Amino acid sequence: MSEANGTILLKLSGHLIDLLCEDDEGVSKEALETLFAEAGIDLSQKSYSQQIPETDHDLFLHEGVESRNGVLAIIISGEDWMPVMQTLVKYGKEIEAYGSINHEHGITEFYALNAEGESYFELIDFEASFNTEREEEIIADWLGLIPDEIKIIYPEVFEDNQEEDD
């Protein structure tokens, strides 16, 4: 598995936060399936059936989780989280999801799904020079969809990007 890292933020009900925090090493496939169901995504539909990749031991690895004010932060470890976040922000509803993931092969993905149902997914591929000329615009658009409340709860997730945006 290729290396990827970043932090994702999920604004969820308490029972989902508890479920996603059950394992100290990762999030189980079953917990992610519950998250998708809560987001209104029916994984039995063919269009979604490939969205949760197979992982070793059906565990989506992380380097830590923390919950503040109903917002769960997951410090992800591994590229398996990338299609999970893409699916959540493209097709989800009734939850909020934010974050960015940096892949070792020069790709950075930005995700936002806010309470108004506005969805954002964009990537910059620094190795292939894809969207590199739009980096500031992409970051500004992404940050613009993230509520101030979320930025205040987890300022450390956005500090580097906000400096670039100022």
Side-chain angles (χ1 to χ4, degrees), residues 90-156:
K90 287 180 182 178
Y91 307 109
K93 35 189 172 315
E94 308 300 324
I95 67 163
E96 293 180 53
Y98 309 99
S100 65
I101 298 176
N102 303 302
H103 192 278
E104 74 174 311
H105 295 298
I107 297 171
T108 300
E109 294 185 350
F110 298 89
Y111 317 96
L113 174 61
N114 64 25
E116 288 77 36
E118 295 172 295
S119 173
Y120 188 78
F121 167 70
E122 192 60 77
L123 67 89
I124 301 170
D125 186 337
F126 293 98
E127 284 189 10
S129 296
F130 177 76
N131 276 342
T132 54
E133 73 285 351
R134 294 184 51 233
E135 180 178 7
E136 288 181 21
E137 172 190 348
I138 288 169
I139 292 171
D141 290 348
W142 170 65
L143 289 171
L145 289 173
I146 300 169
D148 289 339
E149 166 196 3
I150 300 294
K151 293 176 190 171
I152 290 168
I153 294 170
Y154 286 104
E156 67 275 16

Side-chain angles (χ1 to χ4, degrees), residues 19-28 59-62 65 81:
L19 183 63
L20 295 172
C21 292
E22 281 183 347
D23 192 304
D24 290 338
E25 293 182 19
V27 175
S28 71
L59 200 61
F60 290 73
L61 300 176
H62 62 64
V65 294
W81 285 98

Side-chain angles (χ1 to χ4, degrees), residues 62-76:
H62 62 64
E63 295 179 10
V65 294
E66 181 180 0
S67 177
R68 298 181 197 161
N69 298 357
V71 180
L72 179 66
I74 303 174
I75 302 169
I76 65 96

Side-chain angles (χ1 to χ4, degrees), residues 6-50:
T7 301
I8 60 173
L9 304 172
L10 303 169
K11 188 170 184 180
L12 307 165
S13 61
H15 80 280
L16 261 178
I17 289 175
D18 293 343
L19 183 63
L20 295 172
C21 292
E22 281 183 347
D23 192 304
D24 290 338
E25 293 182 19
V27 175
S28 71
K29 184 175 182 178
E30 293 79 21
L32 281 182
E33 289 170 348
T34 302
L35 171 64
F36 275 81
E38 186 90 5
I41 300 170
D42 181 358
L43 291 175
S44 67
Q45 292 183 14
K46 187 173 183 163
S47 58
Y48 304 128
S49 63
Q50 300 300 315

